[in-house]
Amino acid sequence: MLRSLIVTVATVIAPLSGVTAAHAAPPDASDQDKAFLVSAHQDNLTEIEGGHTAEKQAGSQAVKDAGSRLVKDHTALDEQVTKVAAEYGVDLPGEPTEKQQAELRKFAAKSGAAFDRAWVPAQVEDHRMTLVALDKEASTGSSEKVRQLARDTKPVVQEHLDLMESIQSGG
């Protein structure tokens, strides 16, 4: 009953407010899609902050350069996530999760070779987990737009994983 009342009110108010079907939120975003957008945004924020820390505190030039690459790439990726989230009316948090913030603090407390030894393996693991999440969204998400975002993001994340594995192996 309440749902039909809300639909009726929305149907009456939308034309009056100037909202057209072309500007309304796409109807096919599931809770999974929305959760993916929030998680992707928080992951991007984490990678950007961690990249900045690497630029300042890493011991090797390769790790500093990798940090710069993460900042650049995840900033660009987050612009896409933010755009799609806005289309679906998904409110994005302004900061990483508590767990991500704790990890960032752990890295910020290190510098030089100690930073490199802690940060690079964590990046390898984080990017592997991200690839799993991207594959899941790309294959089981409801929204074609969000699924495409996951597919478009995957090559960048794979490049980051390859870069971090190369640094980790000394290559």
Side-chain angles (χ1 to χ4, degrees):
M1 176 72 180
L2 179 60
R3 182 178 169 104
S4 65
L5 177 63
I6 291 170
V7 170
T8 302
V9 170
T11 305
V12 171
I13 292 175
L16 298 175
S17 68
V19 175
T20 64
H23 291 88
D28 60 344
S30 66
D31 288 343
Q32 175 186 321
D33 297 328
K34 293 173 183 177
F36 171 81
L37 292 168
V38 169
S39 179
H41 175 66
Q42 289 181 300
D43 288 349
N44 285 328
L45 294 178
T46 302
E47 296 299 341
I48 292 165
E49 186 174 336
H52 282 304
T53 302
E55 290 173 318
K56 292 182 273 188
Q57 295 177 214
S60 75
Q61 190 60 48
V63 175
K64 289 180 183 197
D65 292 345
S68 295
R69 170 109 183 254
L70 292 183
V71 169
K72 177 181 164 274
D73 291 350
H74 282 281
T75 298
L77 291 173
D78 200 52
E79 289 173 8
Q80 294 304 309
V81 169
T82 302
K83 179 182 171 191
V84 172
E87 291 177 29
Y88 286 100
V90 176
D91 289 328
L92 297 176
E95 58 190 17
T97 67
E98 283 297 321
K99 181 180 177 186
Q100 290 166 326
Q101 290 178 48
E103 187 171 272
L104 288 167
R105 285 190 297 272
K106 179 179 79 170
F107 297 131
K110 299 180 184 305
S111 63
F115 177 89
D116 297 0
R117 284 191 303 274
W119 189 72
V120 172
Q123 287 300 307
V124 168
E125 182 62 26
D126 289 348
H127 283 83
R128 284 181 181 155
M129 289 175 23
T130 298
L131 287 171
V132 170
L134 291 169
D135 284 339
K136 179 182 179 196
E137 179 61 28
S139 63
T140 66
S142 298
S143 163
E144 179 54 36
K145 187 169 273 196
V146 180
R147 289 174 40 214
Q148 186 62 51
L149 177 65
R151 286 190 295 268
D152 292 346
T153 300
K154 187 175 177 181
V156 177
V157 174
Q158 183 64 58
E159 288 173 13
H160 292 174
L161 175 59
D162 294 346
L163 173 63
M164 292 301 172
E165 287 177 335
S166 175
I167 292 170
Q168 189 174 36
S169 68

